[in-house]
């Protein structure tokens, strides 16, 4: 007898028949396609944000404008990552938004730490050195963020490589009879 595992493509009301919803969920893209989509979405929103901050800063202090655009762009990126990058087929809830913003904050902390360490090691680095360190740290933080989002935040709807499928029903346990207990090899 084979153990039954949860199949996410099946309807919760009918475990043996495929879902008959009007809009099928999109196919989950592979790791490379997801990464390309992650870079395009995140990079595109990042470029748009860099133009939006100075425009919004005309009406409020720059630090406030930067914070507003950062929050808005993180929310928009999370929506795009859920629907397009990782193909979950539905909009993210508050939990996913919080997890995604946490990973963005961690990436921000990594780039800040890298720049701080650069200035500790070299008191007056040149602009080219600063850009190289910042872009390297930003790239590494982006890869880390991609992995966190793919493996932990947007895992429902597909099996996580870190969590094996669970049986729906308990597996039958062998019944020990007196004959089986008394028999020795």
């Amino acid at each position: 007898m084979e153990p039954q595992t949860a199949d996410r493509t099946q309807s919760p009301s009918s475990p043996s028949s495929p879902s008959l919803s009007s809009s099928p969920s999109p196919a989950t893209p592979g790791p490379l396609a997801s990464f390309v989509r992650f870079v395009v979405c995140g990079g595109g929103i990042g470029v748009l944000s860099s133009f939006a901050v100075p425009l919004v800063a005309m009406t409020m202090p720059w630090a406030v404008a930067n914070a507003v655009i950062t929050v808005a762009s993180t929310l928009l990126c999370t929506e795009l990552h859920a629907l397009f990058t990782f193909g979950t087929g539905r909009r993210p809830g508050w939990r996913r938004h919080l997890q995604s913003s946490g990973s963005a904050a961690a990436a921000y902390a990594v780039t800040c730490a890298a720049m701080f360490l650069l200035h500790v090691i070299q008191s007056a680095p040149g602009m080219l050195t600063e850009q190289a360190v910042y872009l390297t740290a930003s790239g590494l933080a982006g890869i880390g963020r991609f992995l966190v989002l793919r493996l932990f935040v947007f895992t429902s709807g597909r099996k996580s490589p870190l969590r094996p499928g669970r049986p729906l029903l308990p597996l039958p346990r062998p019944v020990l009879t007196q004959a089986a207990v008394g028999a020795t090899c």
Side-chain angles (χ1 to χ4, degrees):
M1 174 179 252
E2 291 183 38
Q4 295 180 357
T5 57
D7 184 1
R8 306 240 189 243
T9 61
Q10 294 177 346
S11 170
S13 61
S14 176
S16 62
S17 66
S19 177
L20 299 174
S21 64
S22 60
S23 62
S25 64
T28 303
L32 183 60
S34 290
F35 186 73
V36 169
R37 291 175 180 190
F38 178 80
V39 170
V40 169
C41 289
I45 297 300
V47 169
L48 291 175
S49 296
S50 69
F51 289 116
V53 170
L55 293 175
V56 175
M58 289 191 281
T59 63
M60 60 184 70
W62 190 90
V64 175
N66 189 29
V68 167
I69 295 301
T70 298
V71 168
S73 66
T74 301
L75 290 171
L76 178 59
C77 277
T78 302
E79 294 284 336
L80 289 174
H81 291 326
L83 296 172
F84 180 68
T85 302
F86 300 109
T88 63
R90 62 180 186 265
R91 295 183 62 194
W94 283 110
R95 181 184 65 82
R96 284 189 171 152
H97 274 291
L98 288 173
Q99 289 172 329
S100 179
S101 63
S103 71
Y108 175 77
V110 165
T111 56
C112 287
M115 294 307 290
F116 176 76
L117 287 174
L118 171 64
H119 285 275
V120 166
I121 293 170
Q122 198 174 41
S123 61
M127 188 186 315
L128 189 59
T129 303
E130 284 184 331
Q131 283 297 312
V133 168
Y134 177 78
L135 291 174
T136 301
S138 183
L140 291 172
I143 291 169
R145 186 164 187 251
F146 169 77
L147 292 172
V148 166
L149 293 177
R150 180 164 173 86
L151 297 176
F152 299 105
V153 178
F154 296 107
T155 58
S156 70
R158 61 182 164 84
K159 290 185 180 177
S160 168
L162 303 177
R163 292 184 286 180
R166 290 187 159 169
L168 287 177
L169 301 173
L171 296 175
R173 295 181 185 204
V175 178
L176 295 177
T177 62
Q178 188 168 2
V181 174
T184 59
C185 296

